[in-house]
Amino acid sequence: MPSLVHRIARRLFPTRAGDMERESREWMLICPKCGHERSYWDIGGIRYKARSRGKRVGLRCPSCGKFRMHKVERRPG
């Protein structure tokens, strides 16, 4: 089930929705404790035409169960 953010983006930008999803799936959140990875899209977010260096996001890891500052990095392709 798409998140509220995904539904709003698809309604506001129907021609770019596919590109937004593709690019958001390239951005990975990595747990510093256990190394578990998941995409920005999978957590309900959108990252489109973005850049970052050293960005971190506070989340609870589904693998180890700890709240940590997950590293955000892009993995194209």
Side-chain angles (χ1 to χ4, degrees):
M1 174 104 190
S3 72
L4 177 63
V5 173
H6 296 159
R7 291 191 310 257
I8 291 170
R10 284 191 174 149
R11 186 165 297 224
L12 293 176
F13 308 106
T15 58
R16 295 185 190 150
D19 291 338
M20 286 182 185
E21 180 177 353
R22 181 188 49 77
E23 195 167 321
S24 294
R25 287 188 184 278
E26 292 177 354
W27 286 95
M28 302 303 289
L29 297 153
I30 304 152
C31 177
K33 180 72 175 172
C34 69
H36 180 76
E37 297 180 2
R38 54 192 169 159
S39 74
Y40 229 82
W41 185 264
D42 292 339
I43 65 162
I46 294 177
R47 208 153 156 78
Y48 181 59
K49 295 194 177 199
R51 290 186 190 170
S52 68
R53 177 183 281 173
K55 181 174 177 71
R56 295 191 177 265
V57 177
L59 297 169
R60 182 170 307 280
C61 178
S63 181
C64 65
K66 300 290 184 184
F67 184 86
R68 306 251 185 231
M69 295 301 287
H70 288 63
K71 183 179 177 183
V72 178
E73 74 180 42
R74 186 170 185 193
R75 298 205 180 136

